[in-house]
Amino acid sequence: MIYIGADHKGHRLKSRIVDWMRGSGIDCTDLGNKEYDSGDDYTDISILLAEKVVSERAKGILICGSGVGVCVAANKVKGARAALVTNDKQARLAREDDDANILCLSTDVVGDEDNIGIVKTFLETTFSSEERHIKRINKIKEYENKS
């Protein structure tokens, strides 16, 4: 399952990505916003999506103007590994090296077609499971589990 969400700046791109995923046979759930709302807050959708991704061991996609806001908010959820990605190489490395479970996209910096390519790369790439990457992720988990 792929969860997807966006604020008002990412609403149009989210719709395009949902259409592309469904047309490609990729199972996705649109968490919203379902309708354009210029007064929405990226924090609400980011936290909701990150909680779903972590609890269901799924993947997610978040979109806002810069990509930074959704990334910062999602990473506040324990177990979320959200990555702001602006090109295919970053998308591949986010999955291979960091086992990122949430892809964050920017509508202000990256064009729609490039963003769709980034989504494709992110979804097609698996975690390398190399020991050095596992060790680093475990250090993050240990830190998250501190009281």
Side-chain angles (χ1 to χ4, degrees):
M1 172 58 64
I2 311 299
Y3 290 101
I4 187 165
D7 71 356
H8 58 280
K9 296 248 356 223
H11 186 266
R12 185 185 53 75
L13 175 60
K14 177 181 63 78
S15 297
R16 286 200 63 201
I17 292 172
V18 167
D19 289 345
W20 172 81
M21 285 195 296
R22 290 183 177 153
S24 299
I26 299 168
D27 191 16
C28 67
T29 298
D30 183 350
L31 295 178
N33 285 346
K34 302 287 182 177
E35 297 190 18
Y36 179 85
D37 176 3
S38 63
D40 65 9
D41 292 319
Y42 65 83
T43 51
D44 300 327
I45 194 66
S46 300
I47 292 168
L48 171 67
L49 183 140
E51 288 175 341
K52 292 279 252 185
V53 164
V54 171
S55 70
E56 297 180 22
R57 295 182 180 197
K59 289 190 182 85
I61 301 168
L62 287 167
I63 310 162
C64 72
S66 69
V68 175
V70 292
C71 191
V72 170
N75 276 316
K76 298 301 178 187
V77 174
K78 180 180 171 181
R81 286 183 306 282
L84 172 57
V85 173
T86 59
N87 61 56
D88 285 334
K89 183 175 183 179
Q90 279 182 313
R92 183 177 50 76
L93 292 173
R95 290 288 306 129
E96 285 180 352
D97 294 359
D98 304 308
D99 199 17
N101 51 11
I102 301 171
L103 172 65
C104 300
L105 300 173
S106 166
T107 60
D108 291 346
V109 177
V110 180
D112 287 4
E113 295 309 314
D114 287 337
N115 272 319
I116 291 171
I118 289 166
V119 169
K120 185 176 187 293
T121 299
F122 184 84
L123 296 178
E124 290 176 349
T125 305
T126 58
F127 179 51
S128 70
S129 297
E130 290 181 27
E131 187 59 38
R132 64 191 171 116
H133 299 307
I134 292 170
K135 179 183 80 172
R136 293 168 185 156
I137 291 168
N138 285 336
K139 285 182 178 183
I140 294 168
K141 288 178 182 178
E142 286 172 21
Y143 182 81
E144 286 179 328
N145 288 323
K146 286 184 178 180
S147 357

